[in-house]
Amino acid sequence: MLIFKKSRQLRDHLSLKKQKARSIGFAPTMGALHKGHLSLIEAAKKENDITVTSIFVNPTQFNDKKDFEKYPVTIDEDIRQLELAGTDILFLPSVEEIYPAGTTLSQSYDLGFLETVLEGKFRPGHFQGVCQVVERLLLLVEPDHLYLGQKDYQQCMVINRLISLMKKEDSIKLKICPTLREQDGLAMSSRNMRLSASERQIATSIYQSLSLIKNNLKPGDLSLLKQTAINLLQENGFRIDYVEITDAGSLQPVSNWDGKQKLVALCAAFLNEVRLIDNLLLN
Ligand code: AMP
């Protein structure tokens, strides 16, 4: 595996490679890698000649300074796992390398309704920061295929929109990979490392409450079902940002289901200091 810390080196290397390679697959990450991340790399390896991943804890997408400061960093172990997974190239830039002109956004991204709900509502500025870093990375790597996890459902939609705003729909194809889970259903996440042993046991309630919605879904009013899921989390000591049942394509809330519309249930909740998110497609 080649490791590049400088954008220039990465770009020079890729432009040489591109003359021969049929396709480049790219999976951006913030490190503290787990099997969920590695599943993106596995998918990229299967479908491309060159697999590129990046590790960059992007300061501009953290609306909470403490969350940024406490974000787990396990770079030596990450490199070992990426080697084992057969990644061709790791891009490991510094903040200065990604933002040579400083981190202030020069323009804002028009994300419309997407930015007003769920993660957009509870983490102001978060998706602007996500677009800022992903745009920079896409311009550098110029991938044919971009690998993202369904775990960050709304982020996939935001990045899809970013690709349209960049007018790159014809050259970058989004590949959304399923959420990998622990045996008890907890979605794998770098933030899980911050849970204590007892919090880790309780954390599975997020999956249970989403599964409760999925398993009891019936046409008609969904408010009682949603409230039951909320109660389950509250009884387990979660502080809830949201539990929502929405249209799977638009994220518009659905309170009365016609039995046909494609739905997704999404949740974000704090267990003490750690904020966890998850989602399930319902039908
Ligand atoms: P992160 O390092 O959290 O920014 O995640 C990097 C990429 O890995 C994103 O596209 C995530 O959606 C994806 N990802 C994170 N957790 C999982 C998971 N449990 N299963 C599949 N993909 C994941």
Side-chain angles (χ1 to χ4, degrees):
M1 182 173 73
L2 293 170
I3 302 179
F4 295 108
K5 294 192 172 178
K6 301 281 176 202
S7 310
R8 186 61 177 273
Q9 295 169 332
L10 175 74
R11 218 193 333 234
D12 288 351
H13 179 81
L14 283 176
S15 62
L16 271 180
K17 279 276 179 191
K18 267 178 198 155
Q19 293 166 9
K20 284 196 197 146
R22 271 172 317 210
S23 67
I24 295 181
F26 177 44
T29 82
M30 297 205 295
L33 300 182
H34 49 68
K35 286 186 189 140
H37 294 117
L38 299 177
S39 73
L40 306 187
I41 288 153
E42 205 176 297
K45 269 189 77 69
K46 273 195 199 134
E47 296 168 347
N48 302 276
D49 298 328
I50 303 176
T51 302
V52 182
T53 192
S54 58
I55 297 180
F56 179 64
V57 186
N58 174 35
T60 71
Q61 72 186 68
F62 285 83
N63 53 314
D64 175 356
K65 197 162 163 258
K66 251 206 274 162
D67 188 29
F68 175 59
E69 282 161 3
K70 296 208 168 159
Y71 200 83
V73 176
T74 59
I75 196 67
D76 293 339
E77 178 57 19
D78 290 352
I79 291 175
R80 203 183 66 80
Q81 294 210 48
L82 290 174
E83 293 265 19
L84 278 175
T87 313
D88 298 304
I89 296 169
L90 166 61
F91 182 44
L92 191 59
S94 63
V95 173
E96 294 71 32
E97 196 59 31
I98 290 288
Y99 301 119
T103 53
T104 309
L105 253 186
S106 52
Q107 102 272 35
S108 73
Y109 300 87
D110 177 10
L111 303 175
F113 172 75
L114 267 183
E115 205 177 7
T116 65
V117 289
L118 308 169
E119 292 300 284
K121 176 171 165 192
F122 284 92
R123 299 186 69 187
H126 168 62
F127 285 133
Q128 292 295 318
V130 168
C131 287
Q132 187 185 16
V133 72
V134 174
E135 179 176 30
R136 177 98 177 98
L137 291 170
L138 292 181
L139 291 173
L140 269 172
V141 178
E142 294 187 330
D144 300 275
H145 299 136
L146 175 65
Y147 293 83
L148 302 175
Q150 191 204 307
K151 157 86 179 5
D152 297 278
Y153 194 92
Q154 191 175 7
Q155 175 170 275
C156 292
M157 295 176 72
V158 163
I159 293 177
N160 192 30
R161 168 117 180 133
L162 170 70
I163 292 173
S164 306
L165 291 171
M166 291 171 72
K167 303 199 172 22
K168 295 270 188 196
E169 306 93 315
D170 295 335
S171 54
I172 304 177
K173 194 162 184 333
L174 205 56
K175 301 269 186 167
I176 299 175
C177 301
T179 305
L180 254 72
R181 298 181 179 281
E182 303 289 355
Q183 282 207 330
D184 64 356
L186 175 66
M188 290 183 184
S189 163
S190 306
R191 287 189 174 84
N192 295 350
M193 285 181 200
R194 293 183 51 203
L195 299 170
S196 69
S198 58
E199 287 166 346
R200 168 63 192 83
Q201 280 198 325
I202 298 168
T204 185
S205 324
I206 293 206
Y207 178 67
Q208 285 165 0
S209 75
L210 293 173
S211 301
L212 184 147
I213 294 176
K214 182 168 176 145
N215 297 336
N216 294 284
L217 186 70
K218 283 191 211 81
D221 184 4
L222 299 176
S223 53
L224 190 62
L225 186 57
K226 194 169 109 176
Q227 193 54 50
T228 317
I230 290 173
N231 292 347
L232 180 95
L233 287 174
Q234 283 176 340
E235 281 156 18
N236 280 287
F238 281 88
R239 208 167 72 248
I240 297 173
D241 268 355
Y242 59 82
V243 173
E244 277 299 345
I245 304 173
T246 76
D247 179 89
S250 68
L251 293 187
Q252 290 280 357
V254 174
S255 47
N256 213 306
W257 185 44
D258 63 5
K260 291 187 210 119
Q261 195 175 7
K262 288 270 175 230
L263 300 179
V264 60
L266 308 107
C267 164
F270 284 89
L271 201 45
N272 299 320
E273 282 209 334
V274 184
R275 186 175 186 274
L276 300 172
I277 64 168
D278 198 358
N279 66 82
L280 271 189
L281 287 165
L282 300 183
N283 54 329

